[in-house]
Amino acid sequence: MPEPRETAVYTHGHHESVLRSHAWRTAANSAAYLLPSLTPHMKILDVGCGPGTITADLAELVPDGQVTGVDRAPEILEQARATAAGRGLANIDFAVADVHALDYPDDTFCVVHAHQVLQHVGDPVRALREMRRVVRPGGLVAVRDADYAAMTWYPASEGLDTWLDLYRRVARANGGEPDAGRRLKAWALRAGLRDVTASSGTWTFATPQERAWWSGLWADRTLASAYADRAVEGGHTDEAGLRAAAEAWREWGAREDGWFSVLHGEIICRKEA
């Protein structure tokens, strides 16, 4: 693994196939581990909010509080604002921010949440220190990240094996850590967080509709997203390799017995009072 860097290139970019996945995410399917800890008056920071679907759900769950969504990409925040406006939410706002250097005073938020963020940053320990800094004493830092090496599927597919190896190489070349889920607790301890509860959760895609959706977005992402450009430009594969990986996704998605599971690591860290 390369030495952590302050910044990293976001592997996926914001192609439609990527946003198709991000906009599917909800608090229920992506932050269930956190939801029992929420109360109506909380002030929440949602780091790496993307198109804002989880952010909007959190705002609905704290009707007497306030939720701020931040992302490094200004263009994606326009979609997040549209998401919030379409749901008539008044207790939500958005801003451009870098998790390595958050522009908020110490002890500002009750909860700082990040979903699928630390796998893409250059220095996840520094990011967690910043999240800890801006959360209030007694407040929570809540993080969930996928672990690519732990992804598993049926039936066996050499094409998907090749895809997974390629993805992990590209992500690491971009400065990230695709197997972040298993590292979250260790990173939190290195960041100075001591009251850390670690858990795990999964996404599973097995019905015909789920397989078609999951395989389709990954086939499209493999061919047309920023990831595809970085895979070729970085010398990790060529256009033929990308086409083969996309076809492996489509073949798996067409299998009646197809099953795919994504393991996520989760941590809830309470800041000392």
Side-chain angles (χ1 to χ4, degrees):
M1 176 181 174
E3 288 296 314
R5 302 202 300 269
E6 180 179 340
T7 59
V9 175
Y10 180 46
T11 297
H12 298 296
H14 294 97
H15 184 264
E16 181 277 330
S17 60
V18 178
L19 297 182
R20 198 187 315 163
S21 171
H22 293 183
W24 165 82
R25 299 171 185 172
T26 66
N29 68 30
S30 300
Y33 72 106
L34 171 63
L35 303 189
S37 300
L38 301 183
T39 59
H41 292 82
M42 280 182 162
K43 185 175 184 179
I44 300 175
L45 178 67
D46 187 24
V47 176
C49 66
T53 51
I54 297 176
T55 324
D57 284 352
L58 294 175
E60 290 183 342
L61 292 167
V62 293
D64 302 316
Q66 180 72 24
V67 178
T68 297
V70 296
D71 202 284
R72 290 198 65 176
E75 64 275 13
I76 200 60
L77 292 179
E78 292 307 309
Q79 184 169 337
R81 291 185 180 99
T83 298
R87 291 166 65 167
L89 294 168
N91 64 330
I92 191 168
D93 62 277
F94 297 94
V96 176
D98 179 357
V99 69
H100 296 99
L102 294 168
D103 191 22
Y104 298 100
D106 296 358
D107 307 337
T108 298
F109 299 94
C110 304
V111 176
V112 180
H113 167 264
H115 183 266
Q116 311 289 31
V117 172
L118 294 191
Q119 64 183 276
H120 297 296
V121 305
D123 191 340
V125 174
R126 178 175 173 181
L128 281 162
R129 288 193 186 113
E130 272 295 274
M131 294 168 73
R132 176 183 177 274
R133 179 184 66 80
V134 301
V135 80
R136 297 171 182 170
L140 303 175
V141 173
V143 178
R144 186 176 195 254
D145 264 275
D147 194 299
Y148 275 74
M151 290 184 181
T152 189
W153 55 82
Y154 185 88
S157 167
E158 290 186 9
L160 289 185
D161 290 342
T162 301
W163 160 79
L164 181 58
D165 174 71
L166 173 64
Y167 178 85
R168 293 170 74 218
R169 285 188 283 113
V170 173
R172 287 189 171 127
N174 288 338
E177 175 46 70
D179 306 339
R182 69 189 66 190
R183 292 171 164 82
L184 295 182
K185 182 179 180 181
W187 288 340
L189 294 174
R190 286 171 56 192
L193 291 152
R194 288 293 171 259
D195 185 354
V196 181
T197 300
S199 60
S200 62
T202 61
W203 291 335
T204 301
F205 306 96
T207 69
Q209 295 79 14
E210 290 166 348
R211 292 195 314 272
W213 180 79
W214 185 243
S215 64
L217 70 86
W218 269 109
D220 292 347
R221 187 183 301 192
T222 298
L223 291 174
S225 71
Y227 159 75
D229 296 335
R230 289 158 186 157
V232 173
E233 292 167 3
H236 305 287
T237 191
D238 55 18
E239 295 292 341
L242 292 178
R243 288 194 298 272
E247 184 57 29
W249 272 111
R250 294 191 184 98
E251 289 176 356
W252 170 83
R255 289 287 301 250
E256 183 180 5
D257 58 352
W259 177 92
F260 199 108
S261 185
V262 181
L263 178 70
H264 298 81
E266 303 161 345
I267 53 171
I268 292 182
C269 314
R270 188 173 298 277
K271 184 174 178 179
E272 64 276 13

